[in-house]
Amino acid sequence: MAGIAAIPNSGKPKALIYTPAGRDAWVARSLVDEAGLASIAATDLPMFASALSDDVALGVLTEEAVRSSDLKPIAAWVSAQPSWSDLPFIVLTQRGGGPERNPAAARLSEVLGNVTFLERPFHATSFISVARTALKGRLRQYEARARLEALSEGERRLQTALAAGRLGAWELELSSMALSASATCKAVFGRKPDDDVTRDDLIASIHPDDRDLVLTRLRETIATGRDYSIEHRTIWPDGSLHWTEVHAQLYSDRYGSARKLVGVCSDATARKTIEENLRRLNENLEERVRERTREVNAAHQTLLEEVAQREKAEEQLRQSQKMEAIGQLTGGVAHDFNNLLMVVLGNLELLGKHVAGDAKATRLVDGAIQGARRGAALTQRLLAFARQQDLQVKPVDLAELISGMNDLLRRSVGSSISIETSLPAALPPAPA
């Protein structure tokens, strides 16, 4: 649109202005902005006419600018407005808008239709008040347009659905309970297109467990005017079970009395079957999840037990390795100590032969030999602990073996613990 300058803040409702004389353009744009509108200024009348559209909320003109101009383009646009639209105009005049003072106003009223004359000079608040009043009226027109578009879209969808055969139409006269139903509606209830179907027939075809709910909802709709919407099971004449979805509105006469119900219905069996299958699938999925969770928990518990057993086995291995190391150390020490004792015993036996005539010396030598032999017995036990003792297969005197271990046991457990043995007098030796 060449020659037309748009004021910033285009999100506001727009006012189209044609006021070419003097300061009128600047004053009009300032007051329009004050009234809460964005202004679009046209440089001449043809541009003003070409800029007219449904998105324009208000038109502002000066009488002298259009008094002798060709208004046919503007008149054509005004007459071609849609049913919801009646664009308001404000005409700034010097002689008011009455025919007795301003005969030209009648021509402008005829061309513009919804026009308000504002005589100059005027106060700014007067213009703003007139502009805001016109804007409120225009906004109500926009609301009406939105409602008409919504109704048109709903009607289009309904007609499309009816044409596609998905919805059946029906109408029930409440005074006579006479029912008229389309062929698709009859098919939804399992009837043929030529079958005579009454209200009682359809009510009787509803599943007994759903019938009371359906009748209750019908009574509520008739009593309150609230839209009727329900899903129920239907038993067809062949005995098969189906799901039916029904929607209806109540229509009243001019006195407010309920006159008829008009509605649509559709077969919801396929959708209900899918929903039921999904519900069962979800239940099975939940059960599988629970079962898998139990399996994972059991496997986790088994793993924990195996880890505990492994840790126990590793601990036992470490203890065995410690005992093995102690045994090897003990065996080495005991073997060396036993060799020293053998040297001591040998020398004591030789010494005993030299002091054979001296009783005191002989007693001392015998005591030393006895102590060395006890030390040798201790080394034999240490070697047995270290598993380095030579094994000899022979009968074992258990009483003697246990008695011989008393000294070792007492020294091992300490003096705070006493050890008592009770052995049979004639205990036979243990066979090899």
Side-chain angles (χ1 to χ4, degrees), residues 270-288:
R271 176 171 58 80
K272 283 291 186 179
T273 301
I274 294 174
E275 291 175 355
E276 180 63 20
N277 291 337
L278 287 176
R279 184 186 64 81
R280 292 177 180 175
L281 180 62
N282 289 334
E283 291 178 353
N284 294 335
L285 179 61
E286 291 174 358
E287 180 59 31
R288 289 200 297 270

PDB file of all heavy atoms in Angstrom, residues 270-288:
ATOM      1  N   ALA A 270     -15.364 -50.165  17.875  1.00  0.00           N
ATOM      2  CA  ALA A 270     -13.954 -50.326  17.514  1.00  0.00           C
ATOM      3  C   ALA A 270     -13.047 -49.581  18.487  1.00  0.00           C
ATOM      4  O   ALA A 270     -12.023 -50.115  18.946  1.00  0.00           O
ATOM      5  CB  ALA A 270     -13.720 -49.830  16.086  1.00  0.00           C
ATOM      6  N   ARG A 271     -13.433 -48.353  18.828  1.00  0.00           N
ATOM      7  CA  ARG A 271     -12.614 -47.579  19.767  1.00  0.00           C
ATOM      8  C   ARG A 271     -12.582 -48.226  21.141  1.00  0.00           C
ATOM      9  O   ARG A 271     -11.525 -48.313  21.783  1.00  0.00           O
ATOM     10  CB  ARG A 271     -13.154 -46.157  19.867  1.00  0.00           C
ATOM     11  CG  ARG A 271     -12.417 -45.291  20.892  1.00  0.00           C
ATOM     12  CD  ARG A 271     -12.847 -43.843  20.798  1.00  0.00           C
ATOM     13  NE  ARG A 271     -14.258 -43.672  20.998  1.00  0.00           N
ATOM     14  CZ  ARG A 271     -14.862 -43.657  22.189  1.00  0.00           C
ATOM     15  NH1 ARG A 271     -14.140 -43.793  23.291  1.00  0.00           N
ATOM     16  NH2 ARG A 271     -16.172 -43.477  22.292  1.00  0.00           N
ATOM     17  N   LYS A 272     -13.741 -48.700  21.607  1.00  0.00           N
ATOM     18  CA  LYS A 272     -13.789 -49.344  22.909  1.00  0.00           C
ATOM     19  C   LYS A 272     -12.956 -50.631  22.917  1.00  0.00           C
ATOM     20  O   LYS A 272     -12.302 -50.964  23.916  1.00  0.00           O
ATOM     21  CB  LYS A 272     -15.242 -49.656  23.285  1.00  0.00           C
ATOM     22  CG  LYS A 272     -16.030 -48.455  23.771  1.00  0.00           C
ATOM     23  CD  LYS A 272     -15.506 -47.997  25.116  1.00  0.00           C
ATOM     24  CE  LYS A 272     -16.365 -46.893  25.695  1.00  0.00           C
ATOM     25  NZ  LYS A 272     -15.877 -46.458  27.040  1.00  0.00           N
ATOM     26  N   THR A 273     -12.989 -51.360  21.799  1.00  0.00           N
ATOM     27  CA  THR A 273     -12.188 -52.584  21.708  1.00  0.00           C
ATOM     28  C   THR A 273     -10.706 -52.259  21.799  1.00  0.00           C
ATOM     29  O   THR A 273      -9.940 -52.940  22.499  1.00  0.00           O
ATOM     30  CB  THR A 273     -12.498 -53.315  20.390  1.00  0.00           C
ATOM     31  OG1 THR A 273     -13.893 -53.630  20.338  1.00  0.00           O
ATOM     32  CG2 THR A 273     -11.685 -54.603  20.283  1.00  0.00           C
ATOM     33  N   ILE A 274     -10.303 -51.206  21.087  1.00  0.00           N
ATOM     34  CA  ILE A 274      -8.899 -50.790  21.150  1.00  0.00           C
ATOM     35  C   ILE A 274      -8.522 -50.370  22.567  1.00  0.00           C
ATOM     36  O   ILE A 274      -7.456 -50.728  23.090  1.00  0.00           O
ATOM     37  CB  ILE A 274      -8.647 -49.649  20.150  1.00  0.00           C
ATOM     38  CG1 ILE A 274      -8.817 -50.166  18.714  1.00  0.00           C
ATOM     39  CG2 ILE A 274      -7.250 -49.054  20.341  1.00  0.00           C
ATOM     40  CD1 ILE A 274      -8.735 -49.079  17.666  1.00  0.00           C
ATOM     41  N   GLU A 275      -9.402 -49.585  23.221  1.00  0.00           N
ATOM     42  CA  GLU A 275      -9.127 -49.155  24.592  1.00  0.00           C
ATOM     43  C   GLU A 275      -9.014 -50.342  25.535  1.00  0.00           C
ATOM     44  O   GLU A 275      -8.143 -50.379  26.415  1.00  0.00           O
ATOM     45  CB  GLU A 275     -10.226 -48.206  25.065  1.00  0.00           C
ATOM     46  CG  GLU A 275     -10.231 -46.851  24.355  1.00  0.00           C
ATOM     47  CD  GLU A 275     -11.407 -45.995  24.783  1.00  0.00           C
ATOM     48  OE1 GLU A 275     -12.255 -46.498  25.556  1.00  0.00           O
ATOM     49  OE2 GLU A 275     -11.483 -44.821  24.349  1.00  0.00           O
ATOM     50  N   GLU A 276      -9.892 -51.345  25.366  1.00  0.00           N
ATOM     51  CA  GLU A 276      -9.839 -52.527  26.221  1.00  0.00           C
ATOM     52  C   GLU A 276      -8.551 -53.310  25.969  1.00  0.00           C
ATOM     53  O   GLU A 276      -7.906 -53.797  26.918  1.00  0.00           O
ATOM     54  CB  GLU A 276     -11.064 -53.415  25.956  1.00  0.00           C
ATOM     55  CG  GLU A 276     -11.116 -54.683  26.789  1.00  0.00           C
ATOM     56  CD  GLU A 276     -11.232 -54.424  28.276  1.00  0.00           C
ATOM     57  OE1 GLU A 276     -11.648 -53.312  28.655  1.00  0.00           O
ATOM     58  OE2 GLU A 276     -10.913 -55.336  29.072  1.00  0.00           O
ATOM     59  N   ASN A 277      -8.175 -53.436  24.701  1.00  0.00           N
ATOM     60  CA  ASN A 277      -6.930 -54.143  24.394  1.00  0.00           C
ATOM     61  C   ASN A 277      -5.729 -53.408  24.992  1.00  0.00           C
ATOM     62  O   ASN A 277      -4.798 -54.041  25.520  1.00  0.00           O
ATOM     63  CB  ASN A 277      -6.765 -54.277  22.882  1.00  0.00           C
ATOM     64  CG  ASN A 277      -7.776 -55.229  22.271  1.00  0.00           C
ATOM     65  OD1 ASN A 277      -8.322 -56.095  22.966  1.00  0.00           O
ATOM     66  ND2 ASN A 277      -8.045 -55.075  20.983  1.00  0.00           N
ATOM     67  N   LEU A 278      -5.754 -52.074  24.909  1.00  0.00           N
ATOM     68  CA  LEU A 278      -4.670 -51.300  25.505  1.00  0.00           C
ATOM     69  C   LEU A 278      -4.634 -51.467  27.013  1.00  0.00           C
ATOM     70  O   LEU A 278      -3.555 -51.569  27.619  1.00  0.00           O
ATOM     71  CB  LEU A 278      -4.830 -49.820  25.145  1.00  0.00           C
ATOM     72  CG  LEU A 278      -4.497 -49.438  23.696  1.00  0.00           C
ATOM     73  CD1 LEU A 278      -4.805 -47.960  23.462  1.00  0.00           C
ATOM     74  CD2 LEU A 278      -3.044 -49.720  23.374  1.00  0.00           C
ATOM     75  N   ARG A 279      -5.829 -51.502  27.637  1.00  0.00           N
ATOM     76  CA  ARG A 279      -5.880 -51.692  29.091  1.00  0.00           C
ATOM     77  C   ARG A 279      -5.284 -53.048  29.476  1.00  0.00           C
ATOM     78  O   ARG A 279      -4.487 -53.159  30.413  1.00  0.00           O
ATOM     79  CB  ARG A 279      -7.327 -51.575  29.569  1.00  0.00           C
ATOM     80  CG  ARG A 279      -7.481 -51.654  31.091  1.00  0.00           C
ATOM     81  CD  ARG A 279      -8.935 -51.691  31.490  1.00  0.00           C
ATOM     82  NE  ARG A 279      -9.581 -52.898  31.000  1.00  0.00           N
ATOM     83  CZ  ARG A 279      -9.488 -54.084  31.597  1.00  0.00           C
ATOM     84  NH1 ARG A 279      -8.772 -54.224  32.706  1.00  0.00           N
ATOM     85  NH2 ARG A 279     -10.098 -55.137  31.093  1.00  0.00           N
ATOM     86  N   ARG A 280      -5.685 -54.087  28.737  1.00  0.00           N
ATOM     87  CA  ARG A 280      -5.140 -55.415  29.034  1.00  0.00           C
ATOM     88  C   ARG A 280      -3.639 -55.464  28.775  1.00  0.00           C
ATOM     89  O   ARG A 280      -2.888 -56.101  29.539  1.00  0.00           O
ATOM     90  CB  ARG A 280      -5.853 -56.456  28.188  1.00  0.00           C
ATOM     91  CG  ARG A 280      -7.328 -56.649  28.558  1.00  0.00           C
ATOM     92  CD  ARG A 280      -7.999 -57.644  27.622  1.00  0.00           C
ATOM     93  NE  ARG A 280      -9.402 -57.830  27.954  1.00  0.00           N
ATOM     94  CZ  ARG A 280     -10.239 -58.571  27.240  1.00  0.00           C
ATOM     95  NH1 ARG A 280      -9.811 -59.192  26.146  1.00  0.00           N
ATOM     96  NH2 ARG A 280     -11.511 -58.683  27.619  1.00  0.00           N
ATOM     97  N   LEU A 281      -3.222 -54.820  27.690  1.00  0.00           N
ATOM     98  CA  LEU A 281      -1.797 -54.790  27.395  1.00  0.00           C
ATOM     99  C   LEU A 281      -1.024 -54.101  28.515  1.00  0.00           C
ATOM    100  O   LEU A 281       0.054 -54.563  28.918  1.00  0.00           O
ATOM    101  CB  LEU A 281      -1.561 -54.068  26.064  1.00  0.00           C
ATOM    102  CG  LEU A 281      -0.099 -53.955  25.603  1.00  0.00           C
ATOM    103  CD1 LEU A 281       0.491 -55.335  25.388  1.00  0.00           C
ATOM    104  CD2 LEU A 281      -0.011 -53.135  24.326  1.00  0.00           C
ATOM    105  N   ASN A 282      -1.583 -53.011  29.035  1.00  0.00           N
ATOM    106  CA  ASN A 282      -0.925 -52.309  30.140  1.00  0.00           C
ATOM    107  C   ASN A 282      -0.863 -53.188  31.381  1.00  0.00           C
ATOM    108  O   ASN A 282       0.145 -53.205  32.096  1.00  0.00           O
ATOM    109  CB  ASN A 282      -1.661 -51.005  30.455  1.00  0.00           C
ATOM    110  CG  ASN A 282      -1.461 -49.954  29.380  1.00  0.00           C
ATOM    111  OD1 ASN A 282      -0.464 -49.978  28.675  1.00  0.00           O
ATOM    112  ND2 ASN A 282      -2.403 -49.041  29.247  1.00  0.00           N
ATOM    113  N   GLU A 283      -1.964 -53.916  31.652  1.00  0.00           N
ATOM    114  CA  GLU A 283      -1.956 -54.812  32.805  1.00  0.00           C
ATOM    115  C   GLU A 283      -0.900 -55.896  32.630  1.00  0.00           C
ATOM    116  O   GLU A 283      -0.156 -56.222  33.572  1.00  0.00           O
ATOM    117  CB  GLU A 283      -3.343 -55.428  32.992  1.00  0.00           C
ATOM    118  CG  GLU A 283      -4.405 -54.432  33.453  1.00  0.00           C
ATOM    119  CD  GLU A 283      -5.773 -55.078  33.577  1.00  0.00           C
ATOM    120  OE1 GLU A 283      -5.897 -56.265  33.176  1.00  0.00           O
ATOM    121  OE2 GLU A 283      -6.696 -54.419  34.062  1.00  0.00           O
ATOM    122  N   ASN A 284      -0.841 -56.500  31.422  1.00  0.00           N
ATOM    123  CA  ASN A 284       0.167 -57.533  31.171  1.00  0.00           C
ATOM    124  C   ASN A 284       1.575 -56.955  31.271  1.00  0.00           C
ATOM    125  O   ASN A 284       2.497 -57.607  31.784  1.00  0.00           O
ATOM    126  CB  ASN A 284      -0.051 -58.148  29.788  1.00  0.00           C
ATOM    127  CG  ASN A 284      -1.359 -58.925  29.698  1.00  0.00           C
ATOM    128  OD1 ASN A 284      -1.879 -59.395  30.707  1.00  0.00           O
ATOM    129  ND2 ASN A 284      -1.891 -59.061  28.498  1.00  0.00           N
ATOM    130  N   LEU A 285       1.717 -55.736  30.762  1.00  0.00           N
ATOM    131  CA  LEU A 285       3.030 -55.104  30.835  1.00  0.00           C
ATOM    132  C   LEU A 285       3.436 -54.866  32.284  1.00  0.00           C
ATOM    133  O   LEU A 285       4.583 -55.111  32.671  1.00  0.00           O
ATOM    134  CB  LEU A 285       3.001 -53.786  30.062  1.00  0.00           C
ATOM    135  CG  LEU A 285       4.310 -52.972  30.054  1.00  0.00           C
ATOM    136  CD1 LEU A 285       5.425 -53.787  29.415  1.00  0.00           C
ATOM    137  CD2 LEU A 285       4.112 -51.657  29.321  1.00  0.00           C
ATOM    138  N   GLU A 286       2.480 -54.412  33.100  1.00  0.00           N
ATOM    139  CA  GLU A 286       2.787 -54.196  34.512  1.00  0.00           C
ATOM    140  C   GLU A 286       3.155 -55.505  35.195  1.00  0.00           C
ATOM    141  O   GLU A 286       4.082 -55.558  36.016  1.00  0.00           O
ATOM    142  CB  GLU A 286       1.586 -53.545  35.200  1.00  0.00           C
ATOM    143  CG  GLU A 286       1.332 -52.104  34.760  1.00  0.00           C
ATOM    144  CD  GLU A 286       0.060 -51.548  35.365  1.00  0.00           C
ATOM    145  OE1 GLU A 286      -0.624 -52.312  36.092  1.00  0.00           O
ATOM    146  OE2 GLU A 286      -0.262 -50.370  35.114  1.00  0.00           O
ATOM    147  N   GLU A 287       2.434 -56.590  34.854  1.00  0.00           N
ATOM    148  CA  GLU A 287       2.749 -57.886  35.452  1.00  0.00           C
ATOM    149  C   GLU A 287       4.133 -58.356  35.013  1.00  0.00           C
ATOM    150  O   GLU A 287       4.909 -58.894  35.827  1.00  0.00           O
ATOM    151  CB  GLU A 287       1.679 -58.919  35.037  1.00  0.00           C
ATOM    152  CG  GLU A 287       1.912 -60.311  35.616  1.00  0.00           C
ATOM    153  CD  GLU A 287       1.950 -60.324  37.134  1.00  0.00           C
ATOM    154  OE1 GLU A 287       1.263 -59.493  37.756  1.00  0.00           O
ATOM    155  OE2 GLU A 287       2.675 -61.168  37.699  1.00  0.00           O
ATOM    156  N   ARG A 288       4.451 -58.160  33.717  1.00  0.00           N
ATOM    157  CA  ARG A 288       5.781 -58.549  33.249  1.00  0.00           C
ATOM    158  C   ARG A 288       6.870 -57.718  33.921  1.00  0.00           C
ATOM    159  O   ARG A 288       7.945 -58.239  34.245  1.00  0.00           O
ATOM    160  CB  ARG A 288       5.863 -58.377  31.729  1.00  0.00           C
ATOM    161  CG  ARG A 288       5.044 -59.399  30.959  1.00  0.00           C
ATOM    162  CD  ARG A 288       5.527 -59.497  29.516  1.00  0.00           C
ATOM    163  NE  ARG A 288       5.360 -58.254  28.801  1.00  0.00           N
ATOM    164  CZ  ARG A 288       4.268 -57.918  28.114  1.00  0.00           C
ATOM    165  NH1 ARG A 288       3.228 -58.737  28.064  1.00  0.00           N
ATOM    166  NH2 ARG A 288       4.204 -56.770  27.472  1.00  0.00           N
TER     167      ARG A 288
END
